[in-house]
């Protein structure tokens, strides 16, 4: 069931009515029922996977907590008769038990994700190796369904598990509350990947009906629908046409395609997040923001601080820091300092940890070498930029007046945007070879006359479509600029009622009249659903 379907509209109306009619203490239970119903409607077989994740995470975290309680009781009982060394040894042995529980649960849940999402990718590559070495035997592909949002709910559950192990959050002893945290339906399809300490503050509370809060949430949902239905799905036709035929479309078509896809991806993903946050807001629940005007970034490093914020924070907290602080990497750092100098010894662990993060990020996005190369390409650019940072600093010191000029800042933003566009091409084609070939064709095909000879009207977009897209993109830019000084919704709320009515009713009409709909007035799937 898509966020953009009539079925979901009925689902939400029913939930909101029931949610505010029942006593507040039962609201979180109702959310749990509706979250599992939502998952059941997508495919009842999905429930098997999310129940395994929930059960194993619950048993492991409760087991870790009981072990710590047992440890505390034992130490209190024997504190007079145990020496410091004995206490230290006992604590170490108990910590090993907790670590084993953690590792076993991680291996199980990451193993499920790996088999379901990457099993056939591994088999295909093994069969390729067999062919290279002349073996005729081939491994059979596995026929497993991939549950909706498995990457998102698995990472969210694992984040909670690690937080409990590190004692940064209290263990949730109510299995049904934990089940709601893992399965909260607005986040299932494309995030954000919430931290338990953040989401739990409002997820389980009692929420009285507040017409202003509901209105604000619905306004956010409407803005998300505008970006998804009017902009993203309109662009989809052109992008599918260009990327679907590598023989007919190359050169300047690829340049146009990558620009359109980058706009589509932003409108689609942020539109979905707007809908998620807006739905949560109507229920009185706070879900973290996942974007901060990423296309205004002046560098790729800044871009990744602004794009898919929850995913980047997850990899930073649970992959980068543990890897960079690991004993193995610390030994490697000492070896590097001794043989390559202090500067290199200090940087190498960061680069290795970053390599692991970006390799994992690429793999997380999909079972394809395209995503692996995409992740490593991001890592390479970021590391080169890091090495060149001192030279950038010297340049800005010498030409301080240049760095302060708006023209130079616009240049930095444009440069970063084009870099992101090029990297996004790995998401558009089925193989690394095709991606590189199409990227190279932009510099060799010499067909830039398509930009003005009318050929761009043959990729599925009409004059009206281009006009709507231009207006929609300009509106997104204006909203982003206004947001630098506070919430747009709050600014509109301060206006007279006729102004508010014109803005929101106008946006509703734009979605209703200009939205791109499929069979039965259901829109296309969100891009990040496949991740």
């Amino acid at each position: 069931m898509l966020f953009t379907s009539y079925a979901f509209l009925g689902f939400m109306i029913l939930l909101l009515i029931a949610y505010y009619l029942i006593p507040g203490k039962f609201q979180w239970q109702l959310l749990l029922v509706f979250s599992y119903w939502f998952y059941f409607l997508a495919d009842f077989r999905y429930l098997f996977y999310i129940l395994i994740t929930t059960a194993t995470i619950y048993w492991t975290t409760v087991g870790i907590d009981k072990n710590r309680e047992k440890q505390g009781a034992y130490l209190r009982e024997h504190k007079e008769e145990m020496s410091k060394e004995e206490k230290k040894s006992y604590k170490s042995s108990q910590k090993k038990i907790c670590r084993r529980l953690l590792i076993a649960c991680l291996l199980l849940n990451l193993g499920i994700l790996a088999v379901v999402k990457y099993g056939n990718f591994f088999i295909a590559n093994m069969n390729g190796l067999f062919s290279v070495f002349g073996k005729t035997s081939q491994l059979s592909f596995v026929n497993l369904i991939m549950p909706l949002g498995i990457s998102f709910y698995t990472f969210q559950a694992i984040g909670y598990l690690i937080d409990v192990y590190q004692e940064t959050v209290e263990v949730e002893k109510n299995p049904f509350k934990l089940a709601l945290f893992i399965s909260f339906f607005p986040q299932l399809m494309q995030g954000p990947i919430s931290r338990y300490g953040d989401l739990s503050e409002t997820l389980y509370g009692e929420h009285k009906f507040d017409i202003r809060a509901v209105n604000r949430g619905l306004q956010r949902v409407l803005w998300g629908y505008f970006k998804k239905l009017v902009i993203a799905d309109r662009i989809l036709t052109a992008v599918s046409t260009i990327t679907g035929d590598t023989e007919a479309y190359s050169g300047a078509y690829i340049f146009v395609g990558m620009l359109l896809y980058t706009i589509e991806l932003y409108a689609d993903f942020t539109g979905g997040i707007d809908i998620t946050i807006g739905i949560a807001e109507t229920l009185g629940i706070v879900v973290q923001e996942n974007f901060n005007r990423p296309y205004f970034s002046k560098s790729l490093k800044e871009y990744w601080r602004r794009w898919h914020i929850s995913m980047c924070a997850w990899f930073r907290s649970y992959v980068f820091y543990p890897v960079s602080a690991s004993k193995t990497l610390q030994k490697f750092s000492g070896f590097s300092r001794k043989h390559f100098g202090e500067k290199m010894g200090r940087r190498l662990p960061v680069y290795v940890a970053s390599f692991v993060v970006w390799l994992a990020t690429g793999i997380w996005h999909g079972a394809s070498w395209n995503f692996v190369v995409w992740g490593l390409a991001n890592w390479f650019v970021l590391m080169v930029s890091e090495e060149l940072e001192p030279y950038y600093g010297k340049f800005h010191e010498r030409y301080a007046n240049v760095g302060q000029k708006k023209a130079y800042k616009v240049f930095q933003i444009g440069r970063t945007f084009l870099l992101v566009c090029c990297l996004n091409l790995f998401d558009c084609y089925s193989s690394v070879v095709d991606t590189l070939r199409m990227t190279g064709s932009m510099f060799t095909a010499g067909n830039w006359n398509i930009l003005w000879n009318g050929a761009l009207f043959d990729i599925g977009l009409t004059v009206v479509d281009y006009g709507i897209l231009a207006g929609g993109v300009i509106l997104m830019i204006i909203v982003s600029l206004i947001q630098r000084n506070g919430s747009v919704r709050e600014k509109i709320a301060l206006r007279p009622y006729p102004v508010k009515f014109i803005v929101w009713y106008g946006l509703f009409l734009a979605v209703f009249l200009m939205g791109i709909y499929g069979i039965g007035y259901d829109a296309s799937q969100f891009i990040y659903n496949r991740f």
Side-chain angles (χ1 to χ4, degrees):
M1 181 165 54
L2 299 177
F3 282 173
T4 49
S5 66
Y6 280 156
F8 183 74
L9 180 61
F11 176 89
M12 276 305 304
I13 291 173
L14 182 61
L15 170 60
L16 284 171
I17 293 172
Y19 188 77
Y20 286 113
L21 284 179
I22 64 173
K25 63 181 180 179
F26 298 121
Q27 285 176 329
W28 72 263
Q29 291 100 321
L30 182 70
L31 280 181
L32 176 60
V33 171
F34 269 75
S35 293
Y36 271 81
W37 184 27
F38 178 88
Y39 218 51
F40 176 83
L41 291 175
D43 191 322
F44 73 92
R45 294 172 296 177
Y46 294 167
L47 292 173
F48 173 74
Y49 292 93
I50 201 167
L51 284 171
I52 287 179
T53 295
T54 303
T56 54
I57 293 292
Y58 175 75
W59 289 330
T60 302
T61 52
V62 169
I64 289 172
D65 185 62
K66 286 183 177 179
N67 182 270
R68 285 180 178 146
E69 289 179 354
K70 175 185 172 184
Q71 173 186 310
Y74 183 86
L75 289 173
R76 285 192 298 273
E77 185 179 346
H78 299 87
K79 64 178 180 179
E80 300 296 336
E81 57 194 75
M82 294 179 73
S83 65
K84 283 186 177 181
E85 289 73 18
E86 288 174 329
K87 290 179 182 177
K88 185 177 180 180
S89 176
Y90 177 74
K91 288 179 180 178
S92 178
S93 65
Q94 295 305 303
K95 189 173 183 179
K96 285 181 180 177
I97 294 174
C98 292
R99 188 183 298 116
R100 286 171 188 153
L101 288 171
L102 171 73
I103 292 172
C105 192
L106 285 175
L107 289 176
L108 174 63
N109 284 283
L110 290 175
I112 292 172
L113 177 62
V115 171
V116 170
K117 192 170 181 179
Y118 308 103
N120 285 333
F121 175 65
F122 174 78
I123 291 170
N125 282 280
M126 290 301 298
N127 287 339
L129 283 175
F130 292 159
S131 299
V132 169
F133 291 104
K135 292 187 177 182
T136 56
S137 59
Q138 296 280 289
L139 298 174
S140 299
F141 290 103
V142 293
N143 186 25
L144 294 173
I145 62 167
M146 187 169 75
L148 179 71
I150 185 171
S151 296
F152 290 102
Y153 77 67
T154 298
F155 272 34
Q156 185 156 304
I158 286 174
Y160 163 73
L161 169 65
I162 296 173
D163 285 345
V164 169
Y165 174 77
Q166 294 178 339
E167 298 184 76
T168 56
V169 299
E170 293 289 331
V171 67
E172 178 51 71
K173 295 183 180 180
N174 186 325
F176 299 105
K177 283 188 174 181
L178 180 62
L180 175 59
F181 168 73
I182 294 173
S183 67
F184 185 45
F185 75 91
Q187 296 186 149
L188 273 176
M189 291 201 284
Q190 53 189 350
I193 305 171
S194 294
R195 301 286 287 264
Y196 180 80
D198 297 327
L199 184 59
S200 62
E201 290 183 3
T202 54
L203 184 62
Y204 309 124
E206 297 184 21
H207 305 285
K208 294 181 179 180
F209 180 76
D210 184 344
I211 187 63
R212 289 174 299 179
V214 173
N215 277 339
R216 281 176 55 82
L218 293 177
Q219 289 164 4
R220 186 73 181 261
V221 170
L222 184 59
W223 177 236
Y225 280 144
F226 176 81
K227 288 196 282 188
K228 165 64 176 171
L229 297 175
V230 178
I231 300 175
D233 285 0
R234 179 167 265 101
I235 296 176
L236 176 62
T237 301
V239 172
S240 299
T241 300
I242 292 173
T243 59
D245 190 341
T246 57
E247 298 300 324
Y249 299 100
S250 61
Y253 281 110
I254 307 306
F255 179 78
V256 172
M258 76 178 191
L259 293 179
L260 289 175
Y261 177 73
T262 300
I263 296 170
E264 178 197 355
L265 181 62
Y266 174 82
D268 188 283
F269 195 9
T270 63
I273 295 297
D274 286 331
I275 295 170
T276 293
I277 294 174
I279 289 171
E281 209 168 348
T282 63
L283 301 168
I285 297 166
V286 178
V287 174
Q288 72 174 103
E289 296 291 342
N290 213 26
F291 294 91
N292 181 21
R293 301 181 300 279
Y295 290 165
F296 286 93
S297 303
K298 300 180 185 68
S299 67
L300 190 62
K301 182 178 180 180
E302 182 185 353
Y303 170 80
W304 281 112
R305 288 200 302 265
R306 294 166 170 254
W307 177 275
H308 208 339
I309 297 169
S310 63
M311 181 200 71
C312 295
W314 194 97
F315 278 107
R316 184 169 57 251
S317 298
Y318 303 119
V319 180
F320 179 82
Y321 290 140
V323 170
S324 60
S326 65
K327 292 181 179 179
T328 302
L329 213 51
Q330 290 305 308
K331 289 180 181 179
F332 177 62
S333 176
F335 174 85
S336 301
R337 282 186 169 92
K338 183 178 179 180
H339 292 85
F340 306 117
E342 181 67 24
K343 181 179 178 182
M344 186 60 68
R346 189 174 63 254
R347 291 189 178 187
L348 278 177
V350 175
Y351 292 169
V352 172
S354 297
F355 178 86
V356 173
V357 165
W358 281 104
L359 177 62
T361 303
I363 293 172
W364 179 85
H365 274 80
S368 165
W369 283 109
N370 263 29
F371 289 116
V372 174
V373 174
W374 170 85
L376 296 183
N378 274 279
W379 170 80
F380 178 77
V381 174
L382 289 168
M383 292 305 99
V384 169
S385 299
E386 194 73 23
E387 286 297 319
L388 294 176
E389 194 66 38
Y391 300 101
Y392 294 149
K394 290 179 180 179
F395 172 82
H396 289 296
E397 285 178 12
R398 186 170 182 179
Y399 303 102
N401 60 324
V402 175
Q404 299 303 318
K405 290 184 177 180
K406 287 187 178 180
Y408 182 70
K409 292 179 180 179
V410 171
F411 161 75
Q412 288 179 302
I413 292 171
R415 175 195 61 190
T416 304
F417 179 75
L418 286 176
L419 175 60
V420 170
C421 287
C422 290
L423 291 170
N424 282 342
L425 280 174
F426 284 103
D427 192 19
C428 295
Y429 293 97
S430 59
S431 72
V432 176
V433 173
D434 280 344
T435 303
L436 296 179
R437 183 164 61 87
M438 291 298 100
T439 303
S441 74
M442 287 191 288
F443 304 97
T444 59
N447 60 342
W448 292 95
N449 61 324
I450 68 159
L451 298 178
W452 58 81
N453 68 2
L456 293 182
F457 292 112
D458 297 327
I459 59 173
L461 297 177
T462 65
V463 174
V464 174
D465 288 323
Y466 281 114
I468 292 172
L469 285 177
V473 170
I474 291 171
L475 181 58
M476 286 197 300
I477 293 172
I478 291 172
V479 170
S480 294
L481 290 172
I482 295 174
Q483 281 179 335
R484 294 181 302 177
N485 299 314
S487 168
V488 174
R489 286 179 296 168
E490 289 179 4
K491 294 180 186 296
I492 295 173
L494 297 174
R495 300 294 179 182
Y497 179 79
V499 175
K500 291 186 285 188
F501 178 82
I502 290 171
V503 169
W504 295 117
Y505 187 64
L507 192 63
F508 171 78
L509 284 180
V511 174
F512 184 76
L513 298 175
M514 302 178 193
I516 301 297
Y517 304 96
I519 297 173
Y521 295 95
D522 283 354
S524 67
Q525 185 66 278
F526 284 90
I527 293 174
Y528 256 71
N529 282 16
R530 69 176 187 263
F531 299 149

